[in-house]
Amino acid sequence: MIRALILTHRWLSIPLGPLFALWFATGIVMHFVPFPAQTESERFAGLLPLDLTASLRSPAEAVLASGIDRPSRIRLWQRADGAVYVISAADRNAAIHADTLAAADVTAPDLALSIARLTAHQRGFVTNGAAVAARDDYDQWTVPDRFDAHRPLTRIALNDADETELYVSSRTGEVVLDTTGFERRWNYLGSVIHWIYPTVLRKDWSAWNVTVWWLSLAAVIAAVTGALLGPLRLRLRKARLGSRYRGWHLWHHWAGLVCTQFVLTWMVSGWLSMDHGRLFATGHLTPSENASFTGAPDWTQLSAAPLAAGSGEVREIEWFAFGGRLHRRTRRALSQQQISVLDGSAWRVTGRFLQPAEINAVTARLRPDCARSIEVEPGDDYPFSSDVPGAPIHRVICGDTWYHVDSASGALLERLDPSRRAYRWLYQALHTLDFPALLAHATLRTVLIIGLCAAGFAFSLTGLVIGWRRLRVLGVAARRNG
């Protein structure tokens, strides 16, 4: 039994040893420089004021022109070439010019450049040297699936001091990502290695998913066999516990005993990051649940209703369905918005956010055992936050299943059943140390992450030395026999 454990641990750890070391080292980098992503505040900062004095067609006409039968949301925003409706559905997006109802795809590089320049100018970037750098379906920073609805993307290099690059969607014309030279360089030393994210592999999600899942599982087995061997290879001599090894093996043995709990939990939780519904729930709503929340709105009601009301500069208007009723979200600043509900042919203002009574009325039709919604407080064990500062997240508990509603947008953020709640602790908490107590003490959490990853890296180096020596011995023996 022990011999089998030794052989399994040895011949898994030798090829995987470099990956162990890289995972620990890149984990430190990722804590400080995450994978490039555009935040909602960055996106909103780049929006131009809407010209509502122009002759614009109605949202209902835009839906009809898009050919999308069941949209989930409609947005109106100002682009370099005029106002544009973006009609979103579960499987695709469509952009329609708000004045002519013509398709508003962005195929011309010059148009993508104009959009990027105006967006960058709104955000305070220097745009004098902006130029089209490439137009591709994939590059290293646009491999995630969230960009599938926008491919191909035009990459615009601003050629500024920060080496900023913007990515313009060919489907909607929106700037969907920005990166800097600093982010790109550090991510080659961080996320790209940690997630095994080379473009050639990651652009095929299925191939990447299977590859990383099996590599992670092999790493878990290597860690588990090592954790079992650690205590078994101790021996009692003169009433004192000691190791059976010497030299680098001794260092590896003792370091493993010290690091076992962290290494094992980190490897298992890292493997669970690739679960994707294999063992745990995904958090996605079922079709029936989604239908209960959104209902079956009549989008043709938007044919005659005015686009917006009130005073002040409008940056974006969004229409969405909640509980079968059409809502309008008028946004003037990131945290300044107004939500209205369509009553007959008139819009009735309900406030900045969806009200608890409206959320409760919708969830009451979802399941008979749904309790009244409660706000998710800071420091909650299952933290959620809105993209809009100060907007409450409402938790609705229906039996053993929890639903989280963003009151700013009416979006259903996640479905937490017992399986998904367990996943929150077994993956997120154990892998990133986002325990509520540590989240409240950011410096302590950072010190722990750096310290634990550094210890794991040092432990991995001892394994690399042992593995290298083992391979050298085998190489010498092979040459002698040859």
Side-chain angles (χ1 to χ4, degrees):
M1 177 64 179
I2 292 180
R3 181 65 177 167
L5 286 175
I6 292 173
L7 291 175
T8 301
H9 182 68
R10 175 186 298 162
W11 294 113
L12 282 178
S13 297
I14 287 177
L16 289 174
L19 197 53
F20 271 76
L22 288 171
W23 273 335
F24 287 118
T26 56
I28 297 175
V29 176
M30 289 175 65
H31 179 68
F32 294 99
V33 189
F35 194 78
Q38 181 175 254
T39 65
E40 176 64 8
S41 61
E42 291 171 335
R43 183 193 77 86
F44 199 87
L47 294 179
L48 301 169
L50 267 168
D51 181 8
L52 297 177
T53 64
S55 178
L56 305 181
R57 309 295 286 270
S58 70
E61 292 174 293
V63 171
L64 183 62
S66 72
I68 295 178
D69 295 330
R70 296 179 180 177
S72 56
R73 290 178 182 266
I74 305 170
R75 286 184 295 116
L76 177 66
W77 65 290
Q78 193 76 24
R79 219 166 66 177
D81 55 342
V84 170
Y85 286 108
V86 175
I87 296 91
S88 300
D91 57 344
R92 66 187 180 109
N93 293 326
I96 302 294
H97 282 290
D99 53 356
T100 64
L101 297 181
D105 292 23
V106 176
T107 57
D110 288 345
L111 176 56
L113 179 58
S114 297
I115 292 171
R117 274 180 172 157
L118 281 175
T119 301
H121 179 74
Q122 284 291 114
R123 291 181 56 183
F125 292 120
V126 176
T127 62
N128 296 337
V132 176
R135 179 181 168 88
D136 295 306
D137 281 326
Y138 294 90
D139 75 358
Q140 185 61 71
W141 316 115
T142 58
V143 288
D145 301 346
R146 65 178 180 273
F147 296 112
D148 287 351
H150 299 284
R151 306 187 197 280
L153 296 124
T154 303
R155 178 163 55 91
I156 308 296
L158 298 186
N159 294 308
D160 59 354
D162 292 329
E163 303 173 68
T164 307
E165 294 182 348
L166 307 181
Y167 291 79
V168 179
S169 166
S170 64
R171 304 302 179 194
T172 67
E174 298 170 280
V175 172
V176 294
L177 178 66
D178 61 85
T179 69
T180 65
F182 177 85
E183 288 177 319
R184 295 191 295 273
R185 283 187 287 272
W186 277 107
N187 267 277
Y188 277 118
L189 299 175
S191 300
V192 174
I193 296 173
H194 193 88
W195 292 337
I196 312 178
Y197 239 42
T199 307
V200 66
L201 175 63
R202 180 57 182 86
K203 69 181 183 180
D204 185 336
W205 186 88
S206 297
W208 171 78
N209 178 39
V210 170
T211 300
V212 180
W213 189 85
W214 279 107
L215 279 174
S216 301
L217 180 59
V220 168
I221 295 173
V224 169
T225 53
L228 292 174
L229 282 170
L232 291 175
R233 303 306 286 170
L234 291 171
R235 62 182 178 182
L236 188 63
R237 176 182 292 179
K238 296 180 180 179
R240 294 179 62 184
L241 279 176
S243 174
R244 298 175 181 270
Y245 302 110
R246 294 181 179 180
W248 282 98
H249 282 81
L250 177 66
W251 283 105
H252 186 71
H253 190 192
W254 284 119
L257 289 169
V258 172
C259 296
T260 289
Q261 183 174 356
F262 167 65
V263 171
L264 191 58
T265 56
W266 210 56
M267 288 300 157
V268 171
S269 59
W271 172 60
L272 290 178
S273 72
M274 298 299 299
D275 185 67
H276 301 143
R278 290 181 174 94
L279 301 175
F280 294 88
T282 62
H284 300 153
L285 269 68
T286 66
S288 62
E289 289 171 332
N290 190 61
S292 296
F293 274 109
T294 60
D298 180 7
W299 294 97
T300 62
Q301 294 180 78
L302 300 179
S303 59
L307 292 179
S311 61
E313 196 174 67
V314 176
R315 297 299 181 95
E316 185 178 63
I317 303 174
E318 182 179 49
W319 294 266
F320 64 93
F322 190 77
R325 305 180 74 186
L326 290 172
H327 293 69
R328 184 181 66 199
R329 183 188 185 199
T330 305
R331 307 188 70 186
R332 293 179 168 83
L334 179 63
S335 58
Q336 184 183 352
Q337 67 172 43
Q338 183 183 79
I339 288 185
S340 307
V341 64
L342 186 60
D343 278 341
S345 59
W347 290 100
R348 176 172 55 83
V349 176
T350 59
R352 289 179 61 203
F353 310 124
L354 288 176
Q355 300 303 303
E358 186 171 10
I359 295 173
N360 292 332
V362 172
T363 55
R365 297 196 297 267
L366 176 66
R367 286 172 49 172
D369 56 351
C370 290
R372 298 179 67 83
S373 65
I374 56 175
E375 288 188 20
V376 177
E377 299 291 340
D380 190 271
D381 285 346
Y382 302 88
F384 286 87
S385 60
S386 173
D387 287 334
V388 175
I393 299 297
H394 290 269
R395 174 178 295 153
V396 181
I397 299 177
C398 304
D400 62 359
T401 304
W402 303 358
Y403 302 91
H404 290 88
V405 181
D406 185 351
S407 66
S409 64
L412 273 296
L413 300 180
E414 192 169 24
R415 176 187 192 271
L416 285 181
D417 60 8
S419 171
R420 192 66 182 175
R421 293 198 291 276
Y423 185 75
R424 179 263 182 276
W425 297 106
L426 294 175
Y427 159 52
Q428 292 173 295
L430 291 179
H431 204 67
T432 64
L433 300 186
D434 68 343
F435 296 94
L438 288 178
L439 290 175
H441 299 86
T443 301
L444 174 60
R445 178 170 174 262
T446 295
V447 169
L448 282 174
I449 288 173
I450 294 174
L452 290 171
C453 285
F457 178 71
F459 167 61
S460 300
L461 290 182
T462 64
L464 286 177
V465 172
I466 294 170
W468 174 248
R469 289 184 170 185
R470 170 69 61 176
L471 292 177
R472 282 179 57 191
V473 169
L474 291 176
V476 170
R479 285 194 297 271
R480 287 175 178 172
N481 294 333

